[in-house]
Amino acid sequence: MIVGASAAGVTVADALRHGGHQGDLTLVGAEPHLPYDRPPLSKELMGEPVALREPGHYERSGIDLLLGTPAVALDPASRLVRLAGGRELPYDALVIATGVGPRRLPGAERLAGMHVLRTLDDAAGLRADLAKARRVLIVGAGFLGAEAAASCRGLGLDVTLVDPQPAPAAAALGTAVGGVLAAAHAENGVDLRLGLGVRQIVADDGRVAGAVLTDGARVAADVVLVAIGCRPATDWLAGSGLPLGDGVEADATCRVAPDVYAAGDVASWRHPDHGRLRVEHRTNATEQAEHVAAAILGAPAPFRPVPYVWSDQYGVRLQAWGVTGAAHDVAVVAGSLADGRFVALYGRDGRVTGAVGRRMAKALRQARELVAAGAPWAEAVRAGPDRAMMPAPTDQRTTPARSTT
């Protein structure tokens, strides 16, 4: 049984079939829709949803879809999953792939014009409001908020982007690299209110009318999109006895408990090089799901990816490999931040842990090799991305502190 009709959940099911599993496969989804891809929801606000598989795929593959039936409890001792409505389903092996849910601003959820963006229904509601709007306030300038701001500007809307950090995506990229995104938004007419939060949402007759920021300024808005991060969807696991922290805590092979595994955004696993990680990115969902399927089929191994994420804003793709964060060492090794064409390395404890690039695809591919090798920081920065650094022997490598990616 796979709980979560997500990219990770669907990939686990397909990988099990491709790997030779002939038994029952049940895929449980909280939403009533056929499984769909989530990244286009923010990257292409007015685009059509993208199905993960064609409708007939599941029947042909012998995958039993239970949609619109969220799981509400798990009893690992009895190997039972309880669904909304009381139905209980047994399993021999369980994969938890329930993803994450959006954080919300308290007290304003019921106002017309207030939105979060995680599900297909969220996107449909936001699109309907944007079609009638002139002014949009986006609270949160992480990747989702920044992508939504770029999409709204492409629709000709007035956009105000608010975030307490000094630059967009600063928690993941740091202030200097995040400043490149800030410059792109400013050049495209976004009203940036960085270093500020929202003190109060302003309403008029049950509909959002704007917000008062922490500096006292009032911003008018017809639509407010809240993009202040997500939390792992683990509430249904309360009382299960599974280790829950920032997600479902798994070992290096993504095993949580006997015959219980986790994959995708909800999974926190012990990366052999970087310690405990939880990665909310599409590529990781697919790679981790394939890894979990292999473990179920009898080939468990440490999951050791080089995490990858991309963000499209104003027709330019920013790409990141590995583990990055505001607390990491950062060095631009090709191009320049001022030109918006660069490759930057990120490091911790004397090793390269990540690389971010924009408009320099070849140099970024070379930098990825430094990330994969865990190259010595000083040598990598001195040499730049065009000379691959050899990794130190395994017993000499250090383990960086927990990532903020």
Side-chain angles (χ1 to χ4, degrees), residues 36 38 40-42 44-47 49 115-130:
Y36 58 89
R38 294 189 189 276
L41 298 185
S42 62
E44 303 169 22
L45 281 183
M46 303 305 283
H115 295 272
V116 293
L117 184 56
R118 178 65 188 172
T119 69
L120 196 58
D121 291 340
D122 292 338
L126 177 60
R127 283 198 300 268
D129 266 0
L130 289 178

Side-chain angles (χ1 to χ4, degrees), residues 310-326:
W310 77 98
S311 181
D312 294 329
Q313 298 175 38
Y314 305 108
V316 180
R317 175 163 291 187
L318 180 140
Q319 301 178 81
W321 289 100
V323 174
T324 65

